[in-house]
Amino acid sequence: MADPRRGRRRRPARIPEDRGGGWTGREFEVAVGPVAHGGHCVARHEGRVVFVRHTLPGERVRVRVTEDRHPGFCRADAVEVLEAAPARVERPCPYSGPGKCGGCDWQHVRPAEQHRLKAAVVREQLVRLGGLDADDPVVAGLTVQDLPGGALRWRSRARFAVDRTGAPGLRRHRSHDVVVLDDCPITVEPAAQAVLTRRWPGAGAVDVSIDSAGAVTTTRLDRRGRPQHSEVRQVGEELPREPAGRAERRAGGRDWEVEGTGFWQVHPAAADALVTAVSGFADVRTGETVLDLYAGAGLFGGALAPAAGEEGRVVCVESDPGACAAADANLAHLPQAEVWQGEVDADGLAELLAELGPAPDVVVLDPPRAGAGKAVSRLLAGTGARAVVYVACDPAALGRDVAAFTGAGYRLADVRGFDAFPMTAHVECVALLVRADS
Ligand SMILES: C[S@@+](CC[C@H](N)C(=O)[O-])C[C@H]1O[C@@H](n2cnc3c(N)ncnc32)[C@H](O)[C@@H]1O
């Protein structure tokens, strides 16, 4: 659009490398304040906000500024701990720490404290973005629980980067530099070894996953992220074989087929824990209609279908054709379950709801990190569903979408947090929204 004041086209604003005041590289001491979303804590120095990594609330640390691109804040690493918090521990991973691998955020924190930090972040997002009161009992009582298996060797799916020499590793925080690794202690050992004990000349990245039967699939990606070649090796097997295209996963007391590269929870215990939480919140009754949006391989729809019974109806909606094929196979024995391939966006959902006929009694949604968005959340609220069960991997997206639901006649009735990503700042939540008048 022409700028009438200047008589020429406006350019989009550009953020110069260092606009905050040239602090990059500067060192100073700070008293560390509360945790914030993203794996850092908030401190202040000379009137500016400093987001500090590798520290904990209540610590006194010496920081080095790593990035200063915004007038209001800069980013820094704690490079010396002057007064340590009681929850600080030795990092179990030798590759983590200031200036090293950027894969983990909380290696220096006792796991029980990681849960408290994550709960504080979810609460803060529900208040700041969700518009809820900090004293609301649902917000104030929110906790994050751990999953079985400990804080290490839980990652069953990972993408490793590859440097120009073919050496695999992970990227430094907010950088394209690859930190070469010979192990990643949060990744299940056979999966880490399958990638990190060899070189990958010419590759840009390698995806790896291990299924519940111990089959490790590696997929080499080119420098544009396009898959090139996959192979599968059973733990203990000498020779790799061609992938069959499907991996086996176990959750909710049954086996599930997942397309080789398709979505499945990364933590081996997460799918089970989420199915239990979703089923408890949904409390599906015989004859009810359930909508499972962003359904992947049909995990939640398949788990809820028996409660709806053959008189009920479960519609799983998913955009990825491979995931839909897996969901078809997983739900084939449940006549009440259907898989619809389609986009959950404002237009797609409006069409889908019209085709569905009677409004759903229960909606389950498990969107990607960006969340469902205001338009989809409002449309779902418009159905008047008895229960909306929202599975969220980003508390900020959950906060924004909760605001859309509460603005459209719903209230947040409960939230459970799960530490499905130990040592990192990520957290999985399951929230129950019900009609405000119920
Ligand atoms: C977080 S995963 C959840 C999968 C499943 N609920 C589970 O737990 O295994 C999100 C899923 O949504 C699908 N997806 C992403 N955007 C979508 C959209 N706009 N419409 C429909 N599905 C979408 C992805 O392909 C992915 O399978």
Side-chain angles (χ1 to χ4, degrees), residues 263-265 294-296 299-300 317-320 342-344 366-368:
F263 179 88
W264 191 256
Q265 287 293 331
Y294 313 92
L299 175 67
F300 299 131
V317 186
E318 163 63 45
S319 58
D320 179 68
E343 285 291 327
V344 181
D366 183 8

